[in-house]
Amino acid sequence: MITERKCRTLLDVALRHAAGRVDGIEVTIFFSNISTSRFANNGMTQNQSPSRTEISVRVLKDGRQARLASEGITAAAVRKLTDDAILACALLAPDKEMLPLPADAALLPAVLRANRFDHKTASFSAADRARQVKAIVDVARAKSLTAAGVFETGSFVQAIGNNQGLFRFHRQTSAECSITMKAIDESTLNESTGWSKAHSTRVGDIDATALAERAALKAIASANPQDVEPGNYTVILEPAAVLDLVSFLLEDFTGTSHVDKLSCFLGKVGQKALGDNITIVDDAGHALQAGAPFDGEGLPRSRVTLVENGVIKNLLAGRSSAAKLGCAPTGHGLSEPSPEGEAAANIVIEGGKATLDEMIKSTRHGILLTRVWYVRQVDPTSKLVTGMTRDGTFLVQDGAIKCGIKNLRFNQSLIEMLNNVAALGPSLATAGEEGQPAVVPAMLVNNFHFASGTRF
Amino acid sequence: MHDLAGYALDIATAAGASYADVRIIEQESQHLGTKDQNVSRVLLGSSQGLGVRVLCRGGWGFASTQALTRQSVRAAVARAVATGFASASCLSRPAILAPEPAYNAVWVSPHTVNPFSVSLETKLGVLLEAARIIRSVKGTTLAQGSMSFISEKKLFASSEGSRIHQTFIRSSCGIEAYATNDHDRQRRSYPNSFGGQHELAGWEMVERWNLPANALRIAEEAVSLLTAPACPQTTTNVILEGSQLGLQIHESCGHPSELDRALGQELNFAGASFLTPDKLGKLQYGSPLVNLVADATASGALGSFGFDDEGVQAQRVYLVQDGLFTGYLSSRETACLIGLARSGGAMRSESWNMAPIIRMTNISLLPGNAGSLEDLIGATDDGIFMSTNKSWSIDQLRYNFQFSTEAGWEIKKGKRGRLLKNCSYGGITPAFWNSLDAICGTQAYVDWGVPSCGKGQPMQTMWTGHGAAPARFTNVDVGIAHASLKEAP
């Protein structure tokens, strides 16, 4: 893993080499060595232990800017990269919207201090991961199921510095386990599946056996899935389903999406757009959150209330969109130059007190979703998205889970959905497969629209 | 490089690997973007590294390094072997590889003008000129453009004796016109959405697609879409324009014919497949007009190569012949699992830093005899012509799909009629392909490129291609996506 000292050294090499030849220079370094053990059909199928360090140099000169990226991390390679960036700048048309690099770090707020590095996770070996996979497979075999999934561990580093005195360094570990269990009914040969997943900065937080048991329970409980008619249903969305749906709304909170007139919340900042019980913040300092506490230009991430009791309160702004919108940057900018501008990083949706059991008991006729799949935006104005249910979809009847059902396609406006939330569970650290991990609750939602069914 | 590859192979086999292969890749890239008259992205990249894959007691291991020194390569091989033996401790069955000859070969992708010989100024000039034309149309609110160029040199070496050098030049270009009012956001793209068109070609493809010459049309269409009637919710004939048909092929034929999916190896994320081995040679996947091939030899198509990433020579394999499901995209390991004599040559990796998995090559629908698009519209009494993908989704077994397109046009009595917005259609894969009743001819056939197909854990993206000419499908449910909205936009 690249050290803070090495990152500072590479920055100094670039700065010294460019001195007097540029108006601004920024160096970004990213390292990752996350290893992934994949398994399927109750055995290991692939096992990767990659490692990569990337360095990029952004040069600003005469109203132009260019970013060059490379994997050369020797002093000579960084000097060449810097020369090439200066050369590339000269070949470009002027960038009329280019801003100078952020001011001296001393003038900026300090970044949050969060220890998101765990030595056990960083040193978790291939043999350690294999033992976790074996434990998962043991659960599957004991229940005559087949298991597929991943167990991954590793670390990454993000560092950024510029010739204005700014330097940031963040190292973090990451552990993730995702499991799908498949059951086959002996009499009908019908298949059913169940899924569970956990993500943490510490591998000790991942209980592979418990996750396997949970996925197995869902696979078994949804045996011989029944057909249900599409239509409007009350749905209980487990946190992973909430995450993978709401993730498609996050781009509408970026300043750039408003500058470009693309956001579904255009002209609605300060107005009520969602239900009274919806409050969403972007909070890099939340105890259950992870990631670097600074953005793509090194600005500290601030806590931003995006939605408060249904009112659109604030947008996420990088320096560029902030200048255009007349607001302060929030520390969510991407590496510049960037067409997208900024992105949400640490979403926390305020939860409630309803347990999943209470939601089920309060539902006369509805559907419980473990997970959603292949969610895509259909209409940017209404924020209509489509997608499928997957790996644990159940009919809830008269306050109890009645049976597993065949999967359904939904076409659902996220704005309408977040106006129809009848109950919220506690907010939990959650990992889905569409959006990045976040802190979100389960939701009980009325009038969720299913458009069609499928064959399994 | 040969020495380093040979060194890696030697120490891998000495450490106990029964098989090893090494890829050493050097890549140069340019990604350019414009937003109206501003440059929104200039990212110039270079990458090089070595990935080593080993088989140890039947278990796979993989590791990589970007430092091309003996010391770093030795460490990477040690990690690969350790992961291989760790895999071996937890196998359901050891991997066995279908035979493939050892090759000593050189392959270069076809291109006329090296895109890296064209100045950044020239490239951005094309995008800025297209943007100027788009924004000259009243009612447009944003013009975006992009170009990408990738040059890749790859050495593959295996413990079975292969030494293969390949050079790839990939180019892409595209523009987008946006129109927004208080109630609606509409977009038109050219030549396609997903960043435009992508080919295994040089700068000549940018000149051929002529972005500025098409800027005015898409700008006017984007503005017209704001006031266009919405696609009706009904069942009718649908003619899919080639790029949309390409994505339909990608999702509903390409992915389900990946043999790793069919065998359950991607169950946790990408999903499995309804095309299970028991259906091979038995399932009537489509109408007798449907002939789908996995063709890694198609000249200039984005998914072509000389050899895949486990050294299997490029092939043209029928997946569906005369409507019958007949073949898979396969690897040396999966080929063995279903008794195939040889891999279909579909193992590909995003970079030196990732192990190869089964990926699409060019999954293409062979052209028919329905003439040009105009001929096909002329031969259609009633229906909708849909163009350019806007949204796509399909279940994890690849049965239930739903697509929407940027634009559609009514077809009435053989004539193209009103522009329609918010067009969508959906169905179940075998029923849909069995409803195909006409395919345009070779004059309308294009090898469309899809550059960002995602699969695997961790996710890898891949360059895939889809040759397609417009085709007609009968009794298709359309207008389904927006049916749930309280007020249709």
Side-chain angles (χ1 to χ4, degrees):
Chain A
M1 185 174 63
I2 193 164
T3 62
E4 180 172 352
R5 185 175 173 184
K6 173 77 172 177
C7 291
R8 284 186 182 276
T9 300
L10 294 175
L11 172 65
D12 288 344
V13 168
L15 264 50
R16 278 201 306 273
H17 193 62
R21 297 195 288 154
V22 299
D23 301 325
I25 180 167
E26 174 191 87
V27 177
T28 302
I29 296 164
F30 184 79
F31 162 85
S32 171
N33 70 352
I34 293 178
S35 296
T36 307
S37 299
R38 303 185 74 192
F39 53 98
N41 300 317
N42 287 345
M44 196 86 85
T45 53
Q46 195 183 69
N47 213 342
Q48 301 193 59
S49 182
S51 174
R52 184 178 214 159
T53 306
E54 184 182 72
I55 181 168
S56 73
V57 171
R58 175 163 66 126
V59 161
L60 289 72
K61 183 177 171 63
D62 300 332
R64 299 163 165 87
Q65 63 175 333
R67 178 178 293 279
L68 268 65
S70 163
E71 283 146 4
I73 53 170
T74 63
V78 172
R79 282 193 286 270
K80 181 177 187 308
L81 190 66
T82 305
D83 285 337
D84 289 347
I86 294 169
L87 186 64
C89 251
L91 298 173
L92 290 169
D95 183 343
K96 301 180 190 71
E97 297 183 342
M98 191 182 84
L99 296 172
L101 292 173
D104 190 315
L107 301 175
L108 295 169
V111 295
L112 297 159
R113 287 199 165 273
N115 181 7
R116 290 169 173 164
F117 187 88
D118 173 49
H119 289 280
K120 181 182 177 187
T121 307
S123 60
F124 216 66
S125 69
D128 293 332
R129 291 194 305 279
R131 279 188 281 276
Q132 298 289 323
V133 171
K134 188 169 183 312
I136 294 164
V137 169
D138 285 346
V139 171
R141 287 198 169 125
K143 299 176 191 295
S144 301
L145 307 175
T146 54
V150 296
F151 197 100
E152 67 177 41
T153 52
S155 52
F156 66 87
V157 166
Q158 281 177 262
I160 185 168
N162 67 26
N163 66 340
Q164 298 298 308
L166 183 147
F167 180 80
R168 312 286 193 201
F169 178 87
H170 175 76
R171 67 172 189 167
Q172 180 176 311
T173 45
S174 177
E176 186 166 289
C177 178
S178 176
I179 303 168
T180 300
M181 291 282 189
K182 183 172 77 174
I184 301 176
D185 184 274
E186 285 184 5
S187 57
T188 64
L189 299 183
N190 287 333
E191 295 182 355
S192 58
T193 50
W195 172 86
S196 64
K197 182 175 183 178
H199 178 97
S200 174
T201 56
R202 295 168 183 273
V203 72
D205 293 343
I206 307 277
D207 185 339
T209 301
L211 288 168
E213 293 282 1
R214 180 172 168 74
L217 187 67
K218 282 179 177 285
I220 293 166
S222 59
N224 288 310
Q226 304 296 300
D227 281 306
V228 297
E229 285 298 312
N232 286 344
Y233 283 83
T234 294
V235 293
I236 299 161
L237 304 173
E238 292 200 11
V242 171
L243 172 63
D244 282 349
L245 285 165
V246 175
S247 290
F248 282 81
L249 196 58
L250 302 180
E251 64 185 7
D252 294 84
F253 292 102
T254 66
T256 298
S257 74
H258 286 248
V259 171
D260 291 343
K261 297 184 171 59
L262 296 175
S263 171
C264 69
F265 297 126
L266 199 60
K268 293 181 179 172
V269 177
Q271 296 181 18
K272 187 146 187 313
L274 307 174
D276 290 339
N277 53 1
I278 301 301
T279 294
I280 305 174
V281 300
D282 189 299
D283 184 3
H286 192 283
L288 297 177
Q289 275 290 358
F294 50 85
D295 74 0
E297 290 194 292
L299 270 63
R301 294 199 188 282
S302 54
R303 185 181 188 277
V304 181
T305 299
L306 301 172
V307 183
E308 187 172 59
N309 300 328
V311 177
I312 310 301
K313 298 293 285 187
N314 298 287
L315 302 178
L316 302 168
R319 293 168 67 241
S320 177
S321 68
K324 291 170 187 165
L325 294 168
C327 63
T330 62
H332 293 83
L334 301 171
S335 290
E336 290 287 341
S338 157
E340 296 83 12
E342 51 274 310
N346 300 94
I347 288 298
V348 179
I349 301 178
E350 191 172 284
K353 294 180 179 174
T355 66
L356 212 54
D357 279 348
E358 288 168 346
M359 291 185 193
I360 292 168
K361 282 177 183 164
S362 71
T363 301
R364 188 187 65 77
H365 183 64
I367 293 173
L368 169 68
L369 277 70
T370 298
R371 175 186 181 188
V372 291
W373 162 249
Y374 223 131
V375 183
R376 291 292 182 274
Q377 176 176 286
V378 174
D379 182 75
T381 319
S382 59
K383 215 58 193 176
L384 178 68
V385 298
T386 192
M388 295 292 303
T389 66
R390 181 171 174 177
D391 301 329
T393 310
F394 299 91
L395 182 66
V396 178
Q397 191 74 42
D398 299 324
I401 289 177
K402 184 180 180 188
C403 61
I405 60 172
K406 291 183 183 175
N407 289 295
L408 295 163
R409 170 170 299 287
F410 53 84
N411 282 310
Q412 176 62 47
S413 158
L414 296 177
I415 296 172
E416 287 181 9
M417 183 186 100
L418 293 178
N419 274 290
N420 289 333
V421 177
L424 294 149
S427 284
L428 305 171
T430 301
E433 302 285 8
E434 297 269 10
Q436 59 182 327
V439 183
V440 301
M443 289 184 179
L444 178 69
V445 178
N446 293 321
N447 291 319
F448 193 91
H449 183 70
F450 294 103
S452 58
T454 190
R455 293 188 176 176
F456 60 97
Chain B
M1 292 305 171
H2 266 216
D3 290 348
L4 206 55
Y7 175 70
L9 295 171
D10 288 345
I11 56 176
T13 50
S18 57
Y19 169 85
D21 60 36
V22 170
R23 286 172 297 120
I24 300 177
I25 296 173
E26 294 177 21
Q27 192 185 83
E28 185 181 358
S29 61
Q30 290 184 353
H31 301 286
L32 310 177
T34 57
K35 201 180 247 192
D36 292 336
Q37 287 302 302
N38 297 306
V39 177
S40 58
R41 169 165 289 158
V42 178
L43 178 57
L44 313 179
S46 63
S47 167
Q48 70 168 21
L50 176 149
V52 53
R53 189 177 68 142
V54 298
L55 205 48
C56 301
R57 289 197 206 115
W60 285 114
F62 174 85
S64 64
T65 177
Q66 67 200 77
L68 298 181
T69 64
R70 287 200 163 210
Q71 182 183 359
S72 294
V73 168
R74 189 164 58 243
V77 170
R79 290 204 314 278
V81 169
T83 54
F85 281 119
S87 296
S89 72
C90 189
L91 290 176
S92 57
R93 71 181 98 188
I96 300 170
L97 305 182
E100 181 72 15
Y103 300 95
N104 203 324
V106 175
W107 184 88
V108 180
S109 70
H111 60 280
T112 305
V113 181
N114 185 335
F116 293 89
S117 70
V118 179
S119 75
L120 292 172
E121 267 180 316
T122 299
K123 291 165 179 165
L124 290 169
V126 172
L127 297 177
L128 293 170
E129 172 60 5
R132 185 191 63 75
I133 296 168
I134 288 171
R135 293 309 307 274
S136 72
V137 175
K138 188 179 177 185
T140 58
T141 49
L142 180 66
Q144 293 202 116
S146 62
M147 288 184 188
S148 288
F149 306 97
I150 297 170
S151 168
E152 184 177 88
K153 292 181 179 175
K154 185 188 312 189
L155 166 65
F156 173 88
S158 78
S159 58
E160 295 173 342
S162 277
R163 297 291 186 274
I164 300 166
H165 291 267
Q166 297 185 85
T167 301
F168 300 83
I169 299 285
R170 300 183 178 94
S171 300
S172 68
C173 63
I175 51 175
E176 297 171 330
Y178 290 83
T180 290
N181 64 20
D182 288 345
H183 314 292
D184 208 354
R185 323 265 185 275
Q186 293 291 342
R187 180 190 75 201
R188 284 295 280 136
S189 307
Y190 174 84
N192 191 8
S193 43
F194 302 103
Q197 169 65 331
H198 311 258
E199 297 180 4
L200 194 63
W203 173 253
E204 67 276 5
M205 68 83 69
V206 178
E207 295 180 334
R208 180 164 23 90
W209 286 99
N210 200 348
L211 305 183
N214 289 276
L216 184 64
R217 175 180 59 79
I218 65 166
E220 290 174 344
E221 287 177 357
V223 174
S224 297
L225 282 168
L226 290 174
T227 52
C231 175
Q233 187 183 4
T234 187
T235 301
T236 188
N237 299 312
V238 167
I239 295 176
L240 297 181
E241 166 269 341
S243 69
Q244 171 57 36
L245 184 54
L247 191 63
Q248 176 77 49
I249 295 166
H250 179 102
E251 301 291 3
S252 66
C253 177
H255 278 307
S257 63
E258 294 162 347
L259 186 50
D260 52 353
R261 294 180 66 121
L263 295 173
Q265 294 178 359
E266 295 285 337
L267 182 68
N268 186 57
F269 176 64
S273 172
F274 75 94
L275 293 176
T276 45
D278 58 301
K279 296 189 177 78
L280 193 63
K282 296 174 185 168
L283 176 73
Q284 192 67 30
Y285 172 92
S287 77
L289 295 178
V290 177
N291 287 285
L292 288 152
V293 294
D295 186 1
T297 68
S299 179
L302 190 65
S304 290
F305 46 76
F307 298 83
D308 78 357
D309 283 339
E310 57 178 5
V312 176
Q313 193 162 30
Q315 297 164 52
R316 184 175 188 265
V317 177
Y318 269 90
L319 304 178
V320 174
Q321 192 158 18
D322 301 329
L324 190 70
F325 166 48
T326 56
Y328 280 112
L329 292 154
S330 58
S331 63
R332 295 181 66 184
E333 180 187 2
T334 56
C336 272
L337 292 174
I338 64 164
L340 299 177
R342 185 190 180 199
S343 163
M347 284 290 269
R348 306 176 70 190
S349 170
E350 177 184 295
S351 78
W352 54 265
N353 200 35
M354 290 185 166
I357 55 177
I358 292 177
R359 304 310 307 259
M360 290 178 229
T361 55
N362 302 294
I363 314 304
S364 301
L365 176 68
L366 300 187
N369 57 7
S372 66
L373 173 61
E374 288 69 30
D375 293 335
L376 183 55
I377 290 174
T380 303
D381 191 52
D382 186 65
I384 299 175
F385 168 57
M386 296 191 190
S387 176
T388 318
N389 184 263
K390 187 177 177 184
S391 175
W392 68 107
S393 176
I394 189 164
D395 71 44
Q396 76 268 26
L397 295 190
R398 305 278 153 171
Y399 273 125
N400 179 309
F401 63 84
Q402 180 181 295
F403 292 92
S404 61
T405 61
E406 290 183 351
W409 285 265
E410 284 180 337
I411 301 171
K412 296 288 185 192
K413 295 186 175 15
K415 303 285 186 194
R416 191 193 293 213
R418 294 184 303 168
L419 177 69
L420 301 174
K421 69 177 173 183
N422 300 340
C423 289
S424 62
Y425 68 97
I428 298 292
T429 294
F432 181 75
W433 282 102
N434 274 284
S435 79
L436 183 149
D437 75 344
I439 308 172
C440 288
T442 51
Q443 66 268 51
Y445 183 90
V446 173
D447 280 307
W448 294 97
V450 173
S452 53
C453 173
K455 185 182 173 186
Q457 290 182 290
M459 170 82 82
Q460 298 191 40
T461 59
M462 184 47 66
W463 300 283
T464 65
H466 304 288
R472 185 175 62 200
F473 299 82
T474 61
N475 295 311
V476 180
D477 291 332
V478 302
I480 51 179
H482 286 73
S484 67
L485 292 178
K486 287 177 184 168
E487 295 176 28

